[in-house]
């Protein structure tokens, strides 16, 4: 119980980590929108999980192979005992732990609003998508009555429900929103706002992901948890090194952005595999996944889709490869270390049909995600007041100033040497020369007015 409780607290850091990871590589005028979205998505998905999401995803009494029932809606019928027979933690603790799986999944794909999507419609989409996509995926894969669970699909901590679903949904969402202004023409030029934020964001994803995977077993009383933890670290390290070095061979430059994405690639691959693979197989699989993801880095661009966060490449492609490699390297020895799990293994154990189970799960989740995400985008977009795409004026000004009246900096530069590309708080751009005295006086005047309005009233005025 103590370990799963600590893991739950640790996983909380992933969502703001995703916001910083994405925001640091974007234009700075859209950073705060991603930050506030991370908090609001956490709130919205938790409300959904409380009302009926947890019950739909985890109802062991549901007769359906597709969907759970409403037995635990509003946390009714939750006792101090475990949710499933033989469980090691109380159901109420499993509620909190599993909640963050849903939150992380939704936040990954909603990052697709970056620089062109409105915040409010994305929150409505988050609630509906979690209900109609994530909940059934979690039920299929992990619930004892789910059809993929009974088929024989092996997915330890969320290769399908978390990564494949979020990566494919991000691609569909990006397609629906359309490309950013100037992306098709090749005139969208900018330097990442702050690579240090990308580094910190990847760290906030990397560290809790060790909890994410190892906490899924909900016990530390067996050697299998130790293997899960070590496999996660092995995968992150091998994938980061391979991804970064391969990128250097291609571009002849080192990149912190690429190194950070390499870590995520490794974590994505190992999520479905960490509880089923020998450490040597994890190392081999991480190298192979990193090579594939780097060589397909622009796969969304090849399809004509502006996936600004590369979520489809990192999470979608990485998750699919991870699921396939479980079908190759799945080990009965590692799975059986908890004293309860029995599998026949993958191809290296001559269990040839396992690959069919893995591909069935991948195809089912990809198909449902594509249809569900695009359908929900159209539905939400036609609700009055919930148009998904921002106006051209808002995109030019930046979502932070336009939608929030806040900004990460007083001035956001696009990264070029002349100040004609400086984005001011007011939404205006500077001249081709340096910042003028008029502009500086305007800022000084604004600062003085704010200081006077917030100061304590003097005794003379009183």
């Amino acid at each position: 119980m103590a370990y799963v409780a600590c893991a739950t607290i640790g996983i909380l850091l992933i969502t703001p980590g995703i916001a910083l990871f994405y925001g640091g590589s974007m234009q700075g005028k859209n950073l705060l929108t991603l930050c506030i979205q991370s908090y609001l998505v956490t709130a919205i998905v938790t409300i959904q999980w409380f009302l009926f999401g947890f019950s739909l995803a985890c109802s062991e009494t549901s007769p359906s192979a597709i969907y759970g029932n409403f037995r635990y809606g509003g946390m009714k019928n939750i006792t101090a005992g475990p949710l499933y027979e033989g469980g090691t933690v109380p159901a109420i603790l499993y509620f909190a732990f599993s909640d963050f799986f849903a939150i992380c999944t939704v936040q990954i794909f909603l990052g697709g609003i970056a620089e062109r999507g409105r915040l409010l419609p994305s929150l409505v989409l988050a609630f509906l998508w979690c209900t109609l996509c994530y909940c059934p995926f979690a039920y299929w894969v992990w619930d004892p009555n789910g059809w993929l669970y009974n088929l024989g699909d092996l997915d330890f901590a969320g290769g399908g429900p978390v990564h494949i679903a979020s990566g494919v949904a991000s691609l569909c969402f990006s397609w629906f929103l359309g490309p950013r202004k100037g992306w098709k023409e090749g005139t969208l030029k900018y330097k990442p706002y702050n690579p240090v934020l990308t580094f910190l964001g990847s760290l906030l994803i990397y560290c809790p992901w060790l909890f994410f995977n190892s906490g899924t077993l909900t016990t530390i009383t067996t050697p299998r948890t130790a293997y899960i933890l070590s496999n996660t670290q092995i995968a992150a390290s091998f994938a980061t090194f391979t991804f970064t070095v391969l990128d250097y061979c291609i571009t002849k430059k080192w990149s912190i952005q690429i190194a950070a994405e390499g870590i995520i690639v490794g974590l994505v691959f190992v999520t479905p595999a960490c509880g089923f693979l020998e450490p040597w197989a994890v190392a081999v699989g991480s190298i192979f996944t990193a090579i594939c993801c780097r060589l397909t880095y622009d796969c969304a661009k090849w399809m004509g889709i502006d996936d600004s966060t590369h979520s489809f490449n990192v999470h979608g492609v990485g998750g699919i490869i991870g699921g396939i490699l479980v079908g190759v390297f799945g080990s009965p020895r590692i799975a059986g270390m908890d004293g309860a799990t029995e599998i026949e293994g993958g191809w290296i154990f001559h269990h040839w049909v396992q690959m069919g189970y893995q591909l069935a799960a991948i195809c089912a989740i990809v198909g449902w995600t594509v249809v569900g995400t695009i359908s929900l985008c159209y539905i939400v977009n036609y609700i009055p007041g919930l148009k998904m795409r921002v106006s051209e004026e808002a995109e030019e000004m930046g979502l932070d100033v336009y939608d929030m009246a806040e900004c990460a900096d007083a001035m956001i530069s696009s990264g070029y040497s002349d100040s004609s590309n400086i984005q001011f708080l007011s939404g205006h751009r500077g001249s081709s020369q340096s910042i003028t005295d008029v502009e500086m006086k305007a800022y000084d005047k604004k600062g003085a007015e704010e200081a006077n309005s917030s100061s304590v009233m003097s005794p003379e005025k009183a």
Side-chain angles (χ1 to χ4, degrees):
M1 288 173 59
Y3 188 74
V4 176
C6 290
T8 302
I9 297 169
I11 296 173
L12 168 65
L13 297 175
I14 293 178
T15 11
I18 293 170
L20 295 179
F21 179 74
Y22 289 162
S25 61
M26 302 289 171
Q27 299 179 77
K29 59 186 179 181
N30 303 296
L31 172 63
L32 293 186
T33 301
L34 293 173
C35 290
I36 191 175
Q37 186 192 58
S38 72
Y39 274 164
L40 292 178
V41 165
T42 300
I44 288 293
V45 173
T46 299
I47 292 170
Q48 188 268 1
W49 206 243
F50 169 82
L51 293 176
F52 49 76
F54 176 68
S55 188
L56 293 177
C58 305
S59 296
E60 86 286 7
T61 59
S62 174
S64 172
I66 304 297
Y67 235 135
N69 56 28
F70 292 94
R71 173 177 171 78
Y72 301 120
M75 304 308 293
K76 284 183 60 180
N77 303 312
I78 291 290
T79 66
L83 181 65
Y84 302 114
E85 184 179 353
T88 57
V89 298
I92 188 65
L93 180 55
Y94 187 71
F95 160 83
F97 179 74
S98 59
D99 178 27
F100 285 103
F101 279 57
I103 291 169
C104 294
T105 305
V106 174
Q107 179 62 17
I108 289 169
F109 99 82
L110 281 188
I113 74 165
E115 306 191 339
R116 63 225 165 136
R118 293 181 59 214
L119 178 62
L120 180 59
S122 76
L123 300 178
V124 177
L125 179 62
F127 190 93
L128 297 176
W129 191 90
C130 189
T131 302
L132 298 176
C133 291
Y134 179 80
C135 287
F137 298 158
Y139 184 82
W140 296 355
V141 172
W142 294 314
D143 193 272
N145 296 320
W147 74 275
L148 287 177
Y149 182 93
N150 288 295
L151 178 68
D153 171 49
L154 299 178
D155 189 337
F156 185 77
V162 176
H163 293 299
I164 296 176
S166 63
V168 174
S170 176
L171 186 73
C172 295
F173 193 30
S174 299
W175 169 82
F176 181 84
L177 289 173
R180 291 166 291 175
K181 183 180 178 182
W183 182 81
K184 278 188 175 180
E185 297 79 9
T187 58
L188 180 63
K189 303 292 185 182
Y190 65 90
K191 292 182 179 179
Y193 168 59
N194 193 334
V196 175
L197 288 183
T198 301
F199 168 75
L200 291 176
S202 66
L203 178 63
L204 291 176
I205 297 171
Y206 182 9
C207 179
W209 214 276
L210 296 167
F211 273 134
F212 189 98
N213 286 346
S214 62
T216 300
L217 194 60
T218 66
T219 180
I220 57 172
T221 60
T222 73
R224 193 181 183 198
T225 298
Y227 271 92
I228 293 166
L229 186 64
S230 297
N231 281 345
T232 303
Q233 173 61 15
I234 291 168
S237 299
F238 273 89
T240 304
F241 184 78
T242 305
F243 198 82
T244 307
V245 170
L246 179 58
D247 181 79
Y248 178 80
C249 294
I250 295 173
T251 65
K252 306 305 179 184
K253 299 288 185 182
W254 296 106
S255 170
I256 185 61
Q257 173 74 30
I258 290 296
E261 290 189 347
I263 289 176
I264 310 303
V265 166
L267 297 174
V268 169
F269 151 72
V270 83
T271 296
C274 56
F276 299 114
L277 267 60
E278 298 277 0
W280 68 265
V282 170
V284 173
S286 301
I287 295 171
F288 179 75
T289 304
I291 292 173
C292 291
C293 286
R294 181 57 189 88
L295 294 179
T296 60
Y297 191 68
D298 291 324
C299 57
K301 187 176 182 179
W302 301 339
M303 292 182 276
I305 299 175
D306 181 14
D307 183 11
S308 55
T309 61
H310 289 99
S311 293
F312 176 68
N313 173 258
V314 173
H315 295 275
V317 175
I320 290 171
I321 295 173
I324 291 173
L325 292 182
V326 171
V328 176
F329 296 116
S331 168
R333 187 182 80 89
I334 298 298
M337 281 191 171
D338 59 7
T341 304
E342 296 181 5
I343 66 171
E344 295 184 60
W347 277 6
I348 62 172
F349 291 93
H350 308 292
H351 186 225
W352 311 112
V353 74
Q354 186 61 50
M355 185 62 71
Y357 301 154
Q358 301 302 115
L359 293 176
I362 291 169
C363 292
I365 290 175
V366 168
W368 187 295
T369 301
V370 170
V371 174
T373 304
I374 294 177
S375 299
L376 289 175
C377 285
Y378 275 105
I379 291 171
V380 173
N381 191 59
Y382 283 105
I383 297 176
L386 294 182
K387 184 175 177 60
M388 290 280 193
R389 179 73 186 241
V390 300
S391 65
E392 187 172 315
E393 176 192 9
E395 185 177 350
E396 180 72 18
M397 185 179 293
L399 304 185
D400 294 353
V401 174
Y402 191 88
D403 216 15
M404 299 176 60
E406 295 178 341
C407 202
D409 288 331
M411 297 179 295
I412 298 296
S413 170
S414 64
Y416 294 99
S417 57
D418 63 84
S419 62
S420 61
N421 290 296
I422 288 181
Q423 176 73 53
F424 292 100
L425 188 64
S426 63
H428 298 95
R429 292 193 178 277
S431 65
S432 59
Q433 302 172 357
S434 60
I435 301 173
T436 65
D437 292 338
V438 175
E439 289 163 340
M440 291 302 296
K441 288 178 180 178
Y443 271 91
D444 292 340
K445 181 179 179 181
K446 179 178 176 60
E449 290 174 350
E450 291 177 348
N452 290 334
S453 64
S454 61
S455 61
V456 179
M457 186 177 292
S458 65
E460 292 78 7
K461 290 182 179 180

